[in-house]
Every structure is written in C-alpha cells, then in structure tokens.
Amino acid sequence: MFLRKLFLSEICLSHRILVRDKSSWDIVAGVCVERLPVVTPPLNDIQKKFKNMLGNIEVEKSLKSNHEIRKENDKVQAELLKNESADVDLDIVSKITAQDFEDASKEEFDSFKFANIETEADKKGDKSTHDRFLQRHLVLVTQVKLGKEIKTILPHGVWAEGETLRQTAERTLLEHCGSGIKVKFLSNAPSGFYKYKYPSEVNGKIGAKVFFYYANYESGETDKKSKPNWLTRNELAEILPEKYNKSIQSFLIEETY
C-alpha cells in the first residue's frame, strides 16, 4: 500500500510539473550516479571523540568476554600449580593459555601489511574509471550535447510523452552509459533542481528545467563512447558551471576531510 501511494504521488508530481511547463520549457531528467567510498575514510575530530565515547561506554557496561574469563582462570591455575596444590587442573594447564593466544595474535598482527589504497588509476591520473580515490565519493559525469556544444555534465535526457520523470532518468542513464553499469535509484522523486535558458528559442522552448535523480553505483562499467569521468567533489567544482555545481552539491553528503 505504501509503495503504491509513493508511486502514485510520483506520477502526480510528474504530471503537475509537465502540464505546468509544457508550453515554454523543456523538462529534463538528470542522473547523479555516485560511487560511495570503498575504503573507510579517515575520521575527523568529532568522529574520533564520538568513537572513543562509545568505546568507553561499551567497556563500562559490557560483561567480561570468554577470553577475559579464560585469562583469569589461567592465573588461578598457575597459582595452584606454583603452590603444588592438589586442586590444579592438569588438563587446563597443559593447553595453550590465553596469554599464549594473545602473544601469537599480536605477532601475527605485527607481521600483517595493509594493502596500498592507491590504485593504478590514481598513479596514471585516469578519471575514466571508478577504481580511483577509494576513500572518497565519486560522481559520474559524461559528455552531453547541448545545442551545438558538447558539455561535460551529469547524464541528461529530455522527458518523452507517456514517461514519468523516474522513467526518463532510467532511460537517460541507459542511453548515455549503456547497459553494463548497474545502479540503485534511491527515490521515485527528484533530489535536486536546476534551470537554464537557451541562447535563443528551440522549437518554441525558452529553456530547460532539470530534475536530478540520485542513484548509487553498484557494479559494472560505463560505455566509453560517452567519455565518462568519475570525479571527486573538488573536481566537480572545477569542471561544472558554478550554479549547476551548487545545485548538485546541495543534495550530496558533504565530505568531512
């Protein structure tokens, strides 16, 4: 029932937008595909304090673990063995103690080497792949023809009669990026909005109203024909028009480092 209401509300929203602007504006769906960090980003100061606070609360309120209880029992058995007590459990004493396990684990950890998070794409400066800057958010941009010019922006597509805006967004992504890339749209409603006027009227239209849909990258590769680039927040600011970039940044999560 909830999904049905959500779907109907999206259709009504699309209908109101399309009817209102049918006479003078092109209705366009833009798709913001974001690859989330693959490797956990470093914590900022507030996150570190919060982490330490949660750790302290967990220690104060938690029960002893099996390892801690085992370590205490090992100490008791060691004292009994030292005093040559008849109560000593020889089966327990002869096994590997909790301290032995700790020492072996520490030795294994000290010998472990973390993998390098710098990828081949990072070394080559290749922006056409999502396999770069693994600790950052990356947004997909492609080359889109706007009038007689080619612009590097988010994938855009003009609404077609009979479609909802969500369907336009899905079709646009397929046309620009191919069927090889798999994404997950997070809503039936747009996440952002931007409008601009054409230099002169085009088929009776004075400009375009762009409704941005947000999606998370899941797997696959984009079609290289559209010359895709996966860009960080700073790289987006360098390549996109200021107001256009501001509209996109308004619904993206701000990076904390």
Side-chain angles (χ1 to χ4, degrees), residues 145-208:
K145 187 176 182 181
L146 297 177
K148 296 180 180 180
E149 298 183 352
I150 301 294
K151 298 287 187 180
T152 299
I153 55 177
L154 301 186
H156 278 191
V158 179
W159 168 79
E161 190 74 36
E163 289 182 331
T164 65
L165 285 175
R166 164 70 181 266
Q167 290 170 339
T168 302
E170 293 172 342
R171 173 177 56 79
T172 295
L173 187 65
L174 179 63
E175 291 174 352
H176 283 79
C177 301
S179 58
I181 183 173
K182 305 301 179 186
V183 305
K184 181 179 181 180
F185 284 86
L186 299 192
S187 174
N188 282 328
S191 300
F193 172 76
Y194 175 77
K195 71 175 181 178
Y196 62 94
K197 287 190 175 182
Y198 299 144
S200 59
E201 282 195 17
V202 179
N203 297 325
K205 306 294 184 180
I206 63 174

Side-chain angles (χ1 to χ4, degrees), residues 129-140:
T129 174
H130 55 78
D131 190 28
R132 63 189 296 262
F133 286 121
L134 301 182
Q135 289 186 310
R136 291 187 176 276
H137 297 76
L138 298 181
V139 174
L140 174 66

Side-chain angles (χ1 to χ4, degrees), residues 190-237:
S191 300
F193 172 76
Y194 175 77
K195 71 175 181 178
Y196 62 94
K197 287 190 175 182
Y198 299 144
S200 59
E201 282 195 17
V202 179
N203 297 325
K205 306 294 184 180
I206 63 174
K209 293 189 175 183
V210 185
F211 297 86
F212 295 111
Y213 279 80
Y214 179 82
N216 285 151
Y217 168 82
E218 291 189 332
S219 64
E221 299 293 338
T222 55
D223 191 336
K224 300 300 181 183
K225 292 181 181 179
S226 59
K227 297 184 178 179
N229 280 324
W230 293 87
L231 305 181
T232 64
R233 299 284 193 270
N234 292 335
E235 291 170 339
L236 284 175

